[in-house]
Amino acid sequence: MSSSDLGFIHRFIPSRSGQPAPTLLLLHSTGGDENQLLQLGSTLAPDAALLSPRGKVLEGSMPRFFRRLAEGVFDLEDLKARTHELASFVEAASTTYHFDPAGVVAVGYSNGANIAASALLLRPELLAAAVLFHPMVPLEPESTPTLTGRPVFIGAGQFDPMVARAETERLAALLEDAGADVTLHWRPGGHMLIPEEITAAQAWLSQRQIPATASRR
Ligand code: MLT
C-alpha cells in the first residue's frame, strides 16, 4: 500500500506472518525514498510489517529527513521538529494500520540512521530497538534519555569518509550512558551499506526479544 496520508508519503506492508511480529520503521538515506529499504527490511526480519516514509526535506531533488547546513552540519531546530513530526507519524500509522506502537524497530541508513538516533535521544519511548547503519551523532540531548536495555545495533565502516571512528564511538557512548544495550559492528570499508553488515544485523535482530506485536489486517 502506498499513501501520502498521515503527513508523509509512505508505504506500509503488513506482516506476512499470521503470528505477532514487530514493525520495522525504514528510514532511507539522502536521495532515497519510501522504496529504498523495503528489500532490506524483508531481509532483516522476513515476518515484520514494514512502515517506510519518505523524508519531507528536499536537497535539490533528493529527499532527506531533516535539513543540513553542510555535510555533517545539521540544522538542529529542523532536526528536532522533524524528529517529533516523525514520531507523530509513527503513532498515527499504528492506529491506521493496527500495529502495536510498542513493537516498532527503526532501521535507518545514513540520513535515516541519523533521524533514528535523534528519535532514540529525543523520543526514547518511540522505539523498541534500532538498527543504525553508518549514523553520526545527530545532536546532544539537553538531558540524558532513559533507554534502559533498549537494543541498538550500530553498523560502521572503519574507513567511512563521512563518519569518523570517534564520532561513531561517541554515539555509542551517548546511547550506552542512557542505558541502551549497544552492539557496535565494525567492518573494513566506507559509507556504503554492504551484505556483510546486513547479515550481521539480521543475526543480531533475530536474537533480540522485541515485543512481538501483531500487525492486524
Ligand atoms: C547523508 O548524506 O545522508 C549524510 O552523510 C548524513 C546526513 O546528512 O544525515
Side-chain angles (χ1 to χ4, degrees):
M1 182 183 315
S2 191
S3 170
S4 59
D5 292 346
L6 308 175
F8 281 79
I9 295 171
H10 66 277
R11 292 191 64 183
F12 178 76
I13 299 178
S15 167
R16 277 176 281 170
S17 149
Q19 302 301 312
T23 297
L24 301 191
L25 172 65
L26 303 176
L27 300 166
H28 62 76
S29 61
T30 301
D33 66 14
E34 66 278 19
N35 298 307
Q36 185 194 42
L37 299 184
L38 292 175
Q39 184 58 50
L40 172 70
S42 305
T43 303
L44 284 180
D47 288 343
L50 306 177
L51 176 65
S52 188
R54 184 191 302 181
K56 289 162 74 166
V57 169
L58 280 181
E59 198 177 86
S61 59
M62 298 191 299
R64 287 176 53 83
F65 285 100
F66 56 89
R67 272 169 39 86
R68 64 178 163 182
L69 308 174
E71 178 67 52
V73 183
F74 302 144
D75 177 335
L76 293 179
E77 288 315 307
D78 189 63
L79 171 57
K80 287 178 199 163
R82 303 266 176 203
T83 302
H84 291 297
E85 185 184 40
L86 182 67
S88 301
F89 162 74
V90 173
E91 285 160 3
S94 74
T95 304
T96 300
Y97 298 121
H98 310 291
F99 63 82
D100 187 333
V104 177
V105 178
V107 176
Y109 172 38
S110 194
N111 180 243
N114 290 342
I115 197 157
S118 177
L120 284 169
L121 296 170
L122 296 181
R123 297 293 294 262
E125 79 292 351
L126 185 72
L127 301 170
V131 176
L132 309 176
F133 291 114
H134 306 256
M136 299 168 173
V137 175
L139 47 77
E140 303 274 353
E142 279 163 29
S143 55
T144 304
T146 301
L147 291 167
T148 313
R150 207 69 52 82
V152 179
F153 176 97
I154 298 178
Q158 283 165 357
F159 312 111
D160 191 328
M162 291 187 196
V163 192
R165 187 178 183 104
E167 172 142 19
T168 303
E169 284 167 353
R170 195 154 63 89
L171 177 62
L174 257 179
L175 295 169
E176 273 167 356
D177 286 350
D181 177 7
V182 177
T183 299
L184 185 44
H185 178 79
W186 287 103
R187 61 168 182 84
H191 199 65
M192 220 170 78
L193 188 50
I194 60 163
E196 185 272 336
E197 63 192 320
I198 295 170
T199 304
Q202 193 242 332
W204 175 88
L205 193 55
S206 70
Q207 289 156 16
R208 301 274 104 54
Q209 299 295 324
I210 308 298
T213 57
S215 167
R216 301 178 300 277
R217 291 170 200 241

